[in-house]
Amino acid sequence: MELSIIIPVYNGEKYIKECLNSIYNPLLDNIDWFEVIIVNDGSIDNTASMISKYKYENLKIFNN
């Protein structure tokens, strides 16, 4: 991995889809050179369920 993108999130259901799409859509042809780490810090909205819909091998999700 050449790049690690760390995304801390708390109650970000309004923004997480746009955030992840802005990372993956332009780079989808070659995702081997970066990783995305999402740290969900106890969100009480639908953030966790929205994140779980993304299935990329370079995506790591940590729910606290």
Side-chain angles (χ1 to χ4, degrees):
M1 299 287 160
E2 295 179 29
L3 175 69
S4 296
I5 302 168
I6 302 171
I7 304 170
V9 64
Y10 177 77
N11 290 344
E13 73 176 313
K14 293 180 183 178
Y15 310 105
I16 196 65
K17 181 178 178 181
E18 181 180 355
C19 177
L20 291 173
N21 287 341
S22 70
I23 294 168
Y24 280 104
N25 285 347
L27 302 172
L28 198 53
D29 292 337
N30 185 7
I31 63 172
D32 296 334
W33 63 277
F34 70 97
E35 67 180 345
V36 177
I37 301 168
I38 299 176
V39 180
N40 180 15
D41 194 18
S43 295
I44 56 175
D45 61 1
N46 291 325
T47 300
S49 65
M50 293 180 77
I51 294 170
S52 68
K53 294 178 184 177
Y54 288 83
K55 307 290 184 193
Y56 296 107
E57 61 188 49
N58 68 335
L59 175 64
K60 297 175 185 170
I61 302 169
F62 297 93
N63 290 302
N64 293 332

